[in-house]
Amino acid sequence: MKKLALIIVLFVFSCQNNGVEKPDNLIEKDKMVDILYDVSLLEAVRSQGINGGVTNKEINDFVKRKYNVDSTQFVKSNRYYAADVEEYKEMYEKIKTRVDEELKKADQTVQGVVQPSTSPNSTQNSDTPKVY
């Protein structure tokens, strides 16, 4: 019985440790949400092949230029945040809310209700990969 109790205690403690060490150059959470938002949009364009889409290299170059992070830093930070499922879910809920807001704005613009604007969080700038 004592062995079973010990196994259960060890199991509980092992579940609490996400097993992923915090990287030295961890991207801050808000910046990571911005990066994941942009990458999600670019991946959607790439996967749909809209007029040729964009390449993985173009996506990586865009993230590097816009956010001043390299692919290794991004991968390590993403792995760290993904290890905490609840935190990662919250991050993606923020991204979903942002996408929903942008879709609403786009619908209103198409209907002529609102003029397009350029916000500081907009992905439309000179560094954005072009889809023709």
Side-chain angles (χ1 to χ4, degrees):
M1 190 63 162
K2 288 182 181 181
K3 288 182 183 180
L4 179 60
L6 179 62
I7 291 172
I8 292 173
V9 169
L10 289 174
F11 178 73
V12 169
F13 282 111
S14 68
C15 289
Q16 290 177 352
N17 181 1
N18 66 18
V20 177
E21 191 173 315
K22 183 176 180 179
D24 293 334
N25 57 352
L26 180 69
I27 299 169
E28 67 181 56
K29 187 175 179 180
D30 290 339
K31 186 175 182 178
M32 190 69 180
V33 169
D34 290 341
I35 293 170
L36 290 171
Y37 171 80
D38 284 347
V39 168
S40 296
L41 294 179
L42 292 168
E43 284 291 333
V45 169
R46 186 186 64 75
S47 69
Q48 293 298 313
I50 302 170
N51 293 331
V54 293
T55 65
N56 284 334
K57 182 180 181 334
E58 289 172 317
I59 293 172
N60 290 338
D61 290 345
F62 171 75
V63 169
K64 184 177 182 178
R65 278 192 316 270
K66 184 172 182 181
Y67 296 102
N68 197 29
V69 297
D70 62 37
S71 58
T72 303
Q73 182 183 11
F74 172 75
V75 167
K76 287 181 179 181
S77 296
N78 192 46
R79 184 181 309 133
Y80 175 77
Y81 288 120
D84 183 343
V85 175
E86 289 303 315
E87 183 174 21
Y88 208 56
K89 182 179 175 185
E90 288 175 18
M91 292 169 71
Y92 267 93
E93 286 172 359
K94 289 180 182 180
I95 293 166
K96 182 184 181 314
T97 299
R98 197 162 151 193
V99 167
D100 291 343
E101 289 171 0
E102 291 296 323
L103 285 172
K104 185 177 177 181
K105 285 182 198 175
D107 287 343
Q108 290 174 343
T109 301
V110 168
Q111 295 171 4
V113 177
V114 176
Q115 295 300 318
S117 65
T118 55
S119 69
N121 290 328
S122 173
T123 58
Q124 285 299 323
N125 61 41
S126 61
D127 290 341
T128 305
K130 304 295 186 236
V131 179
Y132 300 100

